[in-house]
Amino acid sequence: MQRVRLLVFNPVLNVLDYRVPPGMAVELGSVVLAPLGPRQVLGIVWEPERLEGTEVPDAKLRPLLELLPVPPFPAPLRRLIEWCADYYVAPMNAVARMSLGSMAALRGGGTATEYRLSGVEPARLTPQRAAALDALHGEQASIRELAELASVSEGVLRGMVGAGLLEPVTVDLDRPYPRANPDFVQPQLNPDQQAAADQFVAAVEGHTFQPFLLDGVTGSGKTECYFEAVAQALRLRKQVLVLLPEIALTENFLRRFEARFGTPPVLWHSSLKQSERRRAWRAIVGGQAQVVVGARSALFMPYKALGLIVVDEAHEVSFKQDDGVRYNARDVAVIRARFESIPVILASATPALESLQLAEQGTYTKVDLPARFGGAELPDVQIVDLREEAPPRGRWLSPRLVSELKDRLLKGEQSLLFLNRRGYAPLTLCRHCGYRFQCPNCSAWLVEHRLSRRMACHHCGHQVGVPDECPECHTGDCLVACGPGVERIADEVVELLPEARLAVVTSDTLNSPEKISEFVAKAEAKAIDVIIGTQLVTKGYHFPELTLVGVIDADLGLEGGDLRAAERTYQQVAQVSGRAGRGEKPGEVLIQTRHPEAAVIAALAKGDRDAFYAAETEARRDAGAPPFGRWAAIIVSSEDEAEARDAARAIGGKRPNLPDVMVLGPAPAPLSLLRGRYRYRLLINARRSAQVQAVIREWLGQFTFPPGVRVGVDIDPYSFV
Ligand code: ADP
Ligand code: ZN
């Protein structure tokens, strides 16, 4: 008899043993369906010696039900899952879940039915049907997805199918993706680029673990260089994974990829349609997907023959996942490359201090692109001290910035104003009684969005209409907006430069691939004079006519006591500055600040990156922060405030007493209420010598909490809220 040990996908149970029925050919990594009580459970066949479970006697084992028709999870992926569970103190099946496709994808094959408008124009329409007709133009998806798109019930759409207004379309879920051609268009690389590309190509050929830090100034052609490595992987019939920090960046990337390789890559992100997701997952597992471009979740997929991983804009915070399994995709990418024995390229103009340190130690191979492509100069950076050159009351643009804006408008050049705040104003209050609009589910203000006439919580999505009167004292016309968001800056620009054509670029306005393409096309056609945007515009874009960048408030990111606040400010301002002067005309950057003396601002002003990193290194060394020490957080939450507090206190009461581990808290988390849950936090600061994960596991292992309490562990946290 053959017995197997499974990692099972069940929230309570993790490991179960089964018997393999005769004729079923399972091997390590096979994905199987097994009985669990009266139900069924998915599982992956694992090395029994690597999974701790209770030994069940042979006679008691139940037989597996089914072997699913997917290739087994290869050993490197199984090791990656184990590593992540261990390092991030997460349940192994929660990590493995990220590798698994839907049940439909696992079973594979076949077709799906989607629906689209049939073109039939009915004589009479209910308002709901009319709205659906309007919203579904050009769309094709499942009834459920269409219902979501059109904001109508599935019933309405089924009725429309019955009436012949929507027609079914059969989609082949295994239809192949077009092949990318590594030699479609071969760019002429400059000598620096060529040297970088040569190293990457050699590493792809070598098929050994080699991490690279591609450190190149903005506009140096980092993408062009790693595309050569992608081309080589294609020639060798290896798969490539390119991780991008944001879906908004993929549009631009797709165009460049298509120009270089003749066809777009395979996309993977959370907003894919069900059928697309299924098709992509199958193609990834089967090896047919050659190049996959995706958000961090693409990292855990069971690639058939991975040959290269690229993490673009590797310093970006959005690679850090802050719920579910809390992991950093940049770091996991390196670990995956190690287990797969392949090269990994981390590309950035402003690498994280941790990455630079690893490069200096020789752990990463550093590859530099010191100059912009085509001889473009880096922009000239000037500081505007807001204490001396203050804007008029209730305004945010200093006179100098306004005059530069006017100058660009006269010359027909473009400007970009950067403020990392969506909406019109971050806080609204009543002038009469002092009432402040707060989210009922979170300890956060509601942000006014004038364009959509809503007040919204940026944490949980709670929304209300903007009222005419104060909800507390019922005085009319008494609400005041405090502080600026991008929409308010746009209003100011309209008043100052009425003839300027504006584009407000945030995740609210650029929320679909179509809108992103439209924006890029307009900016390239010079149909936009002033772009006003959040961090969404700081990277990826290349507008040759853009010659002025104004940073509205460089101090904003420095508030809030975040460990990486200085680094993030440096990165954001350097990235957004990097949008200026990318063409033939020189660029200029004005940074508005009240703290010109702060090390980060001074370094930005002098364009002295080394000075910034040196100051930051010292600050981190003093604080015992990464890379010199380590941080971890324990977040305790519950819908019941007392329950959360008691649990956090209990944990705090049993804190480990070790010389190299310091525990701070418990204290209410800065966001003490989030999505209706009260949150308490303990922070752990440890020396590098400490076995933090083992300490935390043992420490938390002593408790059983009430079912309403959630205890999360965040290793190497980014957000301290
Ligand atoms: P980075 O990502 O380093 O900021 P990009 O890869 O976006 O830089 O390159 C900046 C611009 O220069 C892009 O428009 C890119 O197409 C162009 N470019 C870079 N290298 C080359 C090259 N060797 N040949 C042609 N165009 C290039
Ligand atoms: Zn909220």
Side-chain angles (χ1 to χ4, degrees):
M1 191 198 72
Q2 194 195 348
R3 54 185 297 157
V4 284
R5 178 154 286 182
L6 300 190
L7 173 69
V8 292
F9 294 93
N10 177 281
V12 187
L13 300 161
N14 294 297
V15 179
L16 291 172
D17 291 353
Y18 288 90
R19 178 159 59 81
V20 183
M24 192 185 279
V26 301
E27 48 189 307
L28 284 175
S30 287
V31 183
V32 294
L33 210 54
L36 181 62
R39 302 181 172 212
Q40 304 182 341
V41 66
L42 269 173
I44 302 173
V45 179
W46 218 267
E47 289 88 338
E49 66 279 9
R50 305 185 76 106
L51 277 191
E52 223 174 281
T54 36
E55 285 298 329
V56 180
D58 280 359
K60 285 204 159 174
L61 290 180
R62 297 178 72 185
L64 294 175
L65 295 172
E66 186 185 343
L67 169 65
L68 290 161
V70 283
F73 277 32
L77 179 56
R78 299 201 299 277
R79 300 295 84 79
L80 179 79
I81 291 168
E82 288 167 2
W83 186 92
C84 284
D86 187 57
Y87 186 86
Y88 292 113
V89 195
M92 222 169 106
N93 55 7
V95 178
R97 180 89 248 172
M98 300 191 283
S99 307
L100 213 60
S102 64
M103 204 54 212
L106 287 168
R107 289 209 190 280
T111 55
T113 305
E114 295 188 336
Y115 293 84
R116 66 178 176 212
L117 294 180
S118 62
V120 172
E121 294 281 345
R124 274 180 44 238
L125 272 178
T126 64
Q128 278 178 317
R129 286 190 178 185
L133 274 187
D134 236 21
L136 297 183
H137 204 80
E139 302 287 352
Q140 177 184 315
S142 68
I143 289 286
R144 180 146 57 85
E145 287 159 344
L146 291 179
E148 209 160 282
L149 271 172
S151 314
V152 298
S153 75
E154 293 179 32
V156 170
L157 295 186
R158 291 225 180 75
M160 288 173 67
V161 175
L165 304 181
L166 284 172
E167 63 182 9
V169 188
T170 303
V171 185
D172 174 5
L173 290 170
D174 282 336
R175 75 188 180 288
Y177 290 92
R179 309 290 298 170
N181 176 358
D183 304 306
F184 185 70
V185 170
Q186 186 71 49
Q188 228 16 68
L189 299 183
N190 68 29
D192 283 338
Q193 292 177 332
Q194 191 64 52
D198 288 348
Q199 289 198 60
F200 300 152
V201 167
V204 170
E205 284 166 357
H207 211 279
T208 50
F209 172 54
Q210 197 176 352
F212 290 99
L213 178 61
L214 173 56
D215 184 357
V217 298
T218 51
S220 56
K222 293 185 283 297
T223 319
E224 240 63 49
C225 291
Y226 72 68
F227 271 179
E228 290 314 295
V230 174
Q232 193 59 18
L234 287 172
R235 291 184 198 108
L236 297 171
R237 308 205 164 264
K238 296 283 179 196
Q239 291 172 292
V240 180
L241 165 63
V242 180
L243 289 178
L244 297 179
E246 266 166 288
I247 305 176
L249 289 179
T250 50
E251 250 341 271
N252 204 18
F253 182 89
L254 295 187
R255 291 203 309 169
R256 286 182 70 173
F257 189 93
E258 192 168 359
R260 171 70 180 80
F261 297 108
T263 176
V266 175
L267 264 185
W268 182 268
H269 55 73
S270 53
S271 40
L272 284 186
K273 284 193 299 183
Q274 227 173 24
S275 64
E276 290 168 336
R277 195 169 253 279
R278 210 161 128 184
R279 181 180 174 213
W281 194 84
R282 302 277 314 167
I284 289 167
V285 176
Q288 207 266 322
Q290 298 168 289
V291 180
V292 177
V293 174
R296 56 188 182 225
S297 60
L299 186 54
F300 288 91
M301 230 76 78
Y303 295 87
K304 181 162 182 238
L306 199 56
L308 170 70
I309 304 176
V310 178
V311 185
D312 205 349
E313 311 286 359
H315 61 279
E316 277 292 319
V317 205
S318 48
F319 285 120
K320 177 73 170 64
Q321 170 147 309
D322 271 336
D323 48 15
V325 180
R326 296 182 165 91
Y327 68 95
N328 188 323
R330 177 199 66 203
D331 299 341
V332 177
V334 176
I335 301 296
R336 176 146 202 185
R338 195 177 86 203
F339 286 128
E340 304 269 356
S341 299
I342 57 171
V344 53
I345 302 170
L346 309 182
S348 175
T350 51
L353 191 62
E354 288 92 327
S355 305
L356 273 180
Q357 165 104 359
L358 286 163
E360 262 155 40
Q361 289 170 1
T363 309
Y364 294 174
T365 305
K366 195 154 176 294
V367 176
D368 293 313
L369 291 178
R372 279 187 158 179
F373 175 74
E377 295 284 327
L378 281 169
D380 175 42
V381 177
Q382 312 245 355
I383 298 296
V384 178
D385 184 342
L386 288 174
R387 295 167 307 186
E388 283 163 18
E389 302 177 63
R393 229 183 115 71
R395 307 243 172 171
W396 285 272
L397 306 182
S398 61
R400 181 141 54 110
L401 182 50
V402 173
S403 106
E404 293 294 338
L405 278 171
K406 286 187 174 150
D407 172 70
R408 293 314 185 286
L409 192 60
L410 276 177
K411 288 200 251 173
E413 295 171 11
Q414 292 171 321
S415 306
L416 164 61
L417 298 176
F418 168 64
L419 176 67
N420 205 17
R421 256 198 201 143
R422 291 157 53 204
Y424 184 82
L427 166 66
T428 306
L429 51 77
C430 169
R431 194 190 296 119
H432 191 73
C433 74
Y435 175 85
R436 295 165 169 222
F437 283 79
Q438 196 178 357
C439 176
N441 315 316
C442 306
S443 41
W445 307 129
L446 292 182
V447 177
E448 182 182 355
H449 288 252
R450 276 210 185 160
L451 295 175
S452 56
R453 301 215 188 103
R454 316 225 125 238
M455 320 261 301
C457 171
H458 288 178
H459 298 284
C460 71
H462 174 82
Q463 293 197 347
V464 291
V466 181
D468 301 325
E469 51 168 46
C470 171
E472 190 70 22
C473 69
H474 301 289
T475 312
D477 207 17
C478 65
L479 302 179
V480 265
C482 300
V486 281
E487 293 179 7
R488 198 168 192 180
I489 300 298
D491 277 6
E492 190 171 335
V493 174
V494 169
E495 269 179 51
L496 294 163
L497 311 168
E499 67 282 22
R501 294 159 302 171
L502 309 190
V504 174
V505 176
T506 72
S507 53
D508 303 302
T509 58
L510 246 55
N511 51 14
S512 73
E514 293 74 34
K515 286 184 185 155
I516 296 166
S517 313
E518 200 182 309
F519 160 68
V520 172
K522 274 173 94 174
E524 284 176 348
K526 291 178 71 174
I528 299 172
D529 301 308
V530 184
I531 301 167
I532 301 152
T534 58
Q535 50 84 27
L536 207 61
V537 284
T538 58
K539 50 196 172 275
Y541 295 111
H542 179 78
F543 302 133
E545 292 297 323
L546 202 160
T547 59
L548 174 68
V549 166
V551 177
I552 304 293
D553 185 352
D555 309 331
L556 199 59
L558 292 173
E559 299 159 3
D562 180 334
L563 158 70
R564 292 180 177 79
E567 183 182 277
R568 204 170 303 167
T569 298
Y570 184 83
Q571 289 165 336
Q572 268 182 354
V573 176
Q575 290 284 346
V576 73
S577 303
R579 296 314 109 199
R582 291 170 75 97
E584 282 166 10
K585 297 171 191 153
E588 188 180 2
V589 179
L590 292 189
I591 300 176
Q592 301 195 141
T593 174
R594 293 179 180 285
H595 301 285
E597 73 294 341
V600 40
I601 307 287
L604 283 162
K606 282 191 281 182
D608 190 349
R609 198 178 92 153
D610 293 346
F612 167 72
Y613 280 114
E616 182 66 9
T617 303
E618 281 326 300
R620 299 260 192 112
R621 200 193 303 272
D622 288 348
F628 303 100
R630 342 194 31 180
W631 288 97
I634 298 174
I635 300 128
V636 184
S637 73
S638 164
E639 288 179 13
D640 182 291
E641 158 128 60
E643 197 177 67
R645 189 179 49 228
D646 291 349
R649 282 193 185 150
I651 295 173
K654 296 230 167 153
R655 68 189 61 218
N657 187 5
L658 295 167
D660 48 3
V661 176
M662 183 169 67
V663 180
L664 310 166
L671 251 173
S672 58
L673 178 65
L674 179 65
R675 293 183 208 100
R677 300 182 69 87
Y678 292 89
R679 304 166 76 242
Y680 280 77
R681 192 192 62 181
L682 295 103
L683 275 179
I684 297 136
N685 186 207
R687 303 246 180 83
R688 288 220 71 98
S689 57
Q691 300 289 319
V692 187
Q693 287 89 347
V695 168
I696 293 177
R697 216 172 281 121
E698 194 181 322
W699 176 14
L700 294 180
Q702 313 169 51
F703 302 97
T704 351
F705 295 109
V709 171
R710 249 184 253 155
V711 178
V713 176
D714 194 351
I715 302 289
D716 310 331
Y718 267 57
S719 143
F720 278 68
V721 298

